[in-house]
Protein backbone atom coordinates (compact mmCIF):
# COMPACT_ATOMS: atom_id res chain seq x y z
CA UNK A 1 0.00 0.00 0.00
CA UNK A 2 1.28 3.45 -0.91
CA UNK A 3 1.26 6.24 1.62
CA UNK A 4 -0.51 9.47 0.71
CA UNK A 5 2.88 11.14 0.28
CA UNK A 6 4.08 8.44 -2.12
CA UNK A 7 0.82 8.63 -4.07
CA UNK A 8 1.09 12.40 -4.29
CA UNK A 9 4.62 12.13 -5.67
CA UNK A 10 3.59 9.50 -8.22
CA UNK A 11 0.65 11.60 -9.46
CA UNK A 12 2.83 14.70 -9.76
CA UNK A 13 5.44 12.76 -11.72
CA UNK A 14 2.74 11.33 -14.02
CA UNK A 15 1.39 14.82 -14.68
CA UNK A 16 4.88 16.09 -15.49
CA UNK A 17 5.49 13.11 -17.77
CA UNK A 18 2.23 13.61 -19.72
CA UNK A 19 3.15 15.77 -22.76
CA UNK A 20 -0.39 17.12 -23.28
CA UNK A 21 -0.46 18.70 -19.80
CA UNK A 22 1.28 21.78 -18.41
CA UNK A 23 1.58 20.67 -14.80
CA UNK A 24 3.06 23.96 -13.57
CA UNK A 25 -0.32 25.31 -12.41
CA UNK A 26 -1.83 22.04 -11.17
CA UNK A 27 -1.81 21.20 -7.47
CA UNK A 28 -2.10 17.66 -6.10
CA UNK A 29 -3.49 16.76 -2.68
CA UNK A 30 -4.02 13.24 -1.37
CA UNK A 31 -5.95 12.05 1.66
CA UNK A 32 -6.67 8.38 2.32
CA UNK A 33 -5.91 7.53 -1.29
CA UNK A 34 -8.32 10.14 -2.66
CA UNK A 35 -6.56 12.52 -5.05
CA UNK A 36 -7.67 16.11 -5.58
CA UNK A 37 -6.38 18.04 -8.58
CA UNK A 38 -6.68 21.82 -8.34
CA UNK A 39 -5.38 24.90 -10.10
CA UNK A 40 -5.98 26.01 -13.66
CA UNK A 41 -5.09 25.14 -17.25
CA UNK A 42 -5.37 26.91 -20.61
CA UNK A 43 -7.58 24.35 -22.38
CA UNK A 44 -10.13 21.73 -21.54
CA UNK A 45 -7.93 19.19 -23.35
CA UNK A 46 -5.26 19.76 -20.69
CA UNK A 47 -7.83 19.24 -17.93
CA UNK A 48 -8.93 16.01 -19.63
CA UNK A 49 -5.31 14.92 -19.97
CA UNK A 50 -4.57 15.63 -16.30
CA UNK A 51 -7.57 13.57 -15.22
CA UNK A 52 -6.53 10.62 -17.40
CA UNK A 53 -2.92 10.86 -16.18
CA UNK A 54 -3.96 10.73 -12.53
CA UNK A 55 -6.24 7.76 -13.19
CA UNK A 56 -3.29 5.81 -14.57
CA UNK A 57 -1.42 5.91 -11.26
CA UNK A 58 -1.79 2.66 -9.23
CA UNK A 59 -3.22 3.23 -5.77
CA UNK A 60 -5.61 6.07 -6.63
CA UNK A 61 -8.93 5.20 -4.95
CA UNK A 62 -10.90 8.21 -6.15
CA UNK A 63 -10.32 11.42 -8.03
CA UNK A 64 -11.71 14.92 -7.40
CA UNK A 65 -11.20 17.44 -10.20
CA UNK A 66 -11.15 21.08 -9.13
CA UNK A 67 -9.16 22.38 -12.09
CA UNK A 68 -10.49 25.53 -13.74
CA UNK A 69 -10.18 26.11 -17.47
CA UNK A 70 -8.96 29.67 -18.09
CA UNK A 71 -8.87 30.16 -21.83
CA UNK A 72 -5.94 32.15 -23.11
CA UNK A 73 -6.45 35.41 -25.02
CA UNK A 74 -7.96 34.74 -28.44
CA UNK A 75 -9.09 31.22 -27.59
CA UNK A 76 -12.65 32.17 -26.60
CA UNK A 77 -15.36 31.44 -29.15
CA UNK A 78 -19.12 32.06 -29.27
CA UNK A 79 -21.24 29.09 -28.25
CA UNK A 80 -22.79 28.97 -31.73
CA UNK A 81 -19.34 28.53 -33.31
CA UNK A 82 -18.45 25.75 -30.87
CA UNK A 83 -21.78 24.03 -31.57
CA UNK A 84 -21.09 24.14 -35.31
CA UNK A 85 -17.65 22.60 -34.75
CA UNK A 86 -19.18 19.80 -32.68
CA UNK A 87 -21.75 19.13 -35.38
CA UNK A 88 -18.92 18.88 -37.92
CA UNK A 89 -17.26 16.25 -35.73
CA UNK A 90 -20.53 14.32 -35.55
CA UNK A 91 -21.11 14.56 -39.31
CA UNK A 92 -17.59 13.34 -40.08
CA UNK A 93 -17.98 10.36 -37.73
CA UNK A 94 -19.23 7.83 -40.26
CA UNK A 95 -20.06 5.18 -37.64
CA UNK A 96 -22.86 7.22 -36.04
CA UNK A 97 -26.55 7.08 -36.83
CA UNK A 98 -28.03 10.29 -38.20
CA UNK A 99 -29.43 12.58 -35.49
CA UNK A 100 -28.65 10.10 -32.71
CA UNK A 101 -26.58 12.69 -30.80
CA UNK A 102 -27.84 16.08 -29.63
CA UNK A 103 -25.57 18.99 -28.70
CA UNK A 104 -26.02 21.91 -26.30
CA UNK A 105 -23.35 24.54 -25.61
CA UNK A 106 -23.48 27.11 -22.82
CA UNK A 107 -20.50 29.25 -21.87
CA UNK A 108 -18.19 26.93 -23.80
CA UNK A 109 -19.47 23.92 -21.84
CA UNK A 110 -20.73 21.15 -24.13
CA UNK A 111 -23.48 18.71 -23.18
CA UNK A 112 -24.03 15.61 -25.31
CA UNK A 113 -27.27 13.64 -25.11
CA UNK A 114 -28.72 10.84 -27.22
CA UNK A 115 -27.25 7.43 -27.93
CA UNK A 116 -24.48 5.50 -29.63
CA UNK A 117 -24.13 1.77 -30.16
CA UNK A 118 -20.63 1.20 -28.80
CA UNK A 119 -18.68 2.44 -25.76
CA UNK A 120 -15.73 3.35 -28.00
CA UNK A 121 -17.94 5.79 -29.93
CA UNK A 122 -18.81 7.64 -26.74
CA UNK A 123 -15.16 7.74 -25.70
CA UNK A 124 -13.88 8.85 -29.11
CA UNK A 125 -16.45 11.63 -29.40
CA UNK A 126 -15.45 12.94 -25.99
CA UNK A 127 -11.78 12.93 -26.96
CA UNK A 128 -12.40 14.69 -30.28
CA UNK A 129 -14.62 17.37 -28.75
CA UNK A 130 -12.35 18.14 -25.79
CA UNK A 131 -9.65 19.23 -28.25
CA UNK A 132 -11.83 21.88 -29.93
CA UNK A 133 -10.78 25.47 -29.34
CA UNK A 134 -12.94 27.39 -26.88
CA UNK A 135 -14.32 24.38 -25.01
CA UNK A 136 -14.40 24.84 -21.23
CA UNK A 137 -16.07 21.57 -20.21
CA UNK A 138 -17.94 18.48 -21.35
CA UNK A 139 -20.90 16.55 -19.95
CA UNK A 140 -21.08 13.33 -21.92
CA UNK A 141 -24.54 11.91 -21.22
CA UNK A 142 -24.62 9.64 -24.26
CA UNK A 143 -26.28 6.30 -23.62
CA UNK A 144 -25.16 3.00 -25.05
CA UNK A 145 -28.30 1.75 -26.76
CA UNK A 146 -28.06 -1.69 -28.30
CA UNK A 147 -29.72 -2.49 -31.58
CA UNK A 148 -29.55 -6.23 -31.21
CA UNK A 149 -31.75 -8.61 -33.18
CA UNK A 150 -31.75 -12.40 -33.13
CA UNK A 151 -31.50 -12.45 -36.92
CA UNK A 152 -28.42 -10.22 -36.88
CA UNK A 153 -26.64 -12.32 -34.24
CA UNK A 154 -27.46 -15.57 -36.03
CA UNK A 155 -26.39 -14.20 -39.40
CA UNK A 156 -23.06 -12.96 -38.00
CA UNK A 157 -22.35 -16.36 -36.45
CA UNK A 158 -23.32 -18.27 -39.60
CA UNK A 159 -21.10 -16.07 -41.77
CA UNK A 160 -18.08 -16.66 -39.52
CA UNK A 161 -18.69 -20.41 -39.44
CA UNK A 162 -19.04 -20.44 -43.21
CA UNK A 163 -15.78 -18.56 -43.68
CA UNK A 164 -14.01 -21.02 -41.42
CA UNK A 165 -15.61 -24.03 -43.15
CA UNK A 166 -17.03 -25.58 -39.99
CA UNK A 167 -20.45 -26.89 -39.05
CA UNK A 168 -23.60 -24.79 -39.23
CA UNK A 169 -25.40 -23.21 -36.30
CA UNK A 170 -28.59 -25.25 -36.69
CA UNK A 171 -28.18 -26.97 -33.30
CA UNK A 172 -27.63 -23.70 -31.46
CA UNK A 173 -30.44 -21.59 -29.98
CA UNK A 174 -29.95 -17.82 -29.79
CA UNK A 175 -32.04 -15.65 -27.50
CA UNK A 176 -31.73 -11.89 -27.13
CA UNK A 177 -32.80 -9.98 -24.02
CA UNK A 178 -32.02 -6.32 -24.51
CA UNK A 179 -28.26 -6.17 -24.96
CA UNK A 180 -27.70 -9.69 -23.65
CA UNK A 181 -27.37 -12.78 -25.82
CA UNK A 182 -27.98 -16.28 -24.44
CA UNK A 183 -26.53 -19.20 -26.41
CA UNK A 184 -27.75 -22.75 -25.80
CA UNK A 185 -27.67 -26.06 -27.67
CA UNK A 186 -24.77 -28.24 -28.73
CA UNK A 187 -21.88 -28.32 -31.21
CA UNK A 188 -19.31 -30.89 -32.22
CA UNK A 189 -16.14 -29.20 -30.98
CA UNK A 190 -14.73 -26.59 -28.62
CA UNK A 191 -13.55 -24.67 -31.65
CA UNK A 192 -17.12 -24.24 -32.87
CA UNK A 193 -18.23 -23.19 -29.39
CA UNK A 194 -15.55 -20.53 -29.12
CA UNK A 195 -16.16 -19.23 -32.65
CA UNK A 196 -19.88 -18.86 -31.92
CA UNK A 197 -19.15 -17.15 -28.61
CA UNK A 198 -16.68 -14.75 -30.22
CA UNK A 199 -19.07 -13.95 -33.06
CA UNK A 200 -21.89 -13.15 -30.65
CA UNK A 201 -19.62 -10.76 -28.74
CA UNK A 202 -18.68 -8.99 -31.97
CA UNK A 203 -22.26 -8.29 -33.02
CA UNK A 204 -23.01 -4.53 -32.76
CA UNK A 205 -24.95 -3.66 -29.60
CA UNK A 206 -24.17 -6.82 -27.66
CA UNK A 207 -22.98 -6.03 -24.14
CA UNK A 208 -23.08 -9.49 -22.55
CA UNK A 209 -23.02 -13.09 -23.78
CA UNK A 210 -24.09 -16.09 -21.71
CA UNK A 211 -22.66 -19.15 -23.41
CA UNK A 212 -24.40 -22.37 -22.32
CA UNK A 213 -23.53 -24.33 -25.47
CA UNK A 214 -22.44 -27.91 -24.78
CA UNK A 215 -19.89 -29.88 -26.75
CA UNK A 216 -21.51 -33.16 -27.78
Amino acid sequence: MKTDVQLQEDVMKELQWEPSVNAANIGVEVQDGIVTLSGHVDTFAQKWGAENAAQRVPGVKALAIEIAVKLSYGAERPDADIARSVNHVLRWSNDLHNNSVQVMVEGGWITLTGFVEWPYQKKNLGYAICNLMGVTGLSNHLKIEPRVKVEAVKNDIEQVLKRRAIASVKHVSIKVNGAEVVLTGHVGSWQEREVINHSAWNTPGVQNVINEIKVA
Side-chain angles (χ1 to χ4, degrees), residues 9 13-14 24 28-29 31 38 49 59 72 97 105 110 121-122 124 142-143 166 171 183 196 210 212:
E9 291 177 353
K13 289 179 180 178
E14 190 69 20
V28 180
E29 295 181 2
Q31 184 174 2
S38 58
S72 58
H97 288 280
V105 184
I110 300 170
Q121 293 172 317
K122 179 176 180 177
N124 286 353
L142 292 175
K143 298 179 180 179
I166 54 181
H171 297 301
L183 303 173
I196 292 172
I210 299 176
E212 298 178 348

Side-chain angles (χ1 to χ4, degrees), residues 45 52 76 127 174:
N52 290 334
E76 296 183 355
Y127 181 77
I174 302 169

Side-chain angles (χ1 to χ4, degrees), residues 22-94:
N22 181 1
N25 296 316
I26 299 177
V28 180
E29 295 181 2
V30 182
Q31 184 174 2
D32 299 326
I34 300 174
V35 176
T36 300
L37 302 182
S38 58
H40 64 87
V41 291
D42 296 332
T43 66
F44 179 65
Q46 286 196 50
K47 181 178 179 179
W48 180 290
E51 179 180 346
N52 290 334
Q55 289 176 337
R56 292 196 298 263
V57 177
V60 174
K61 295 180 180 179
L63 190 60
I65 306 296
E66 298 178 0
I67 299 174
V69 177
K70 296 183 179 181
L71 299 175
S72 58
Y73 178 77
E76 296 183 355
R77 299 170 64 197
D79 288 343
D81 285 350
I82 297 174
R84 278 191 286 271
S85 295
V86 175
N87 283 326
H88 287 323
V89 171
L90 297 176
R91 190 171 70 242
W92 295 334
S93 300
N94 56 13

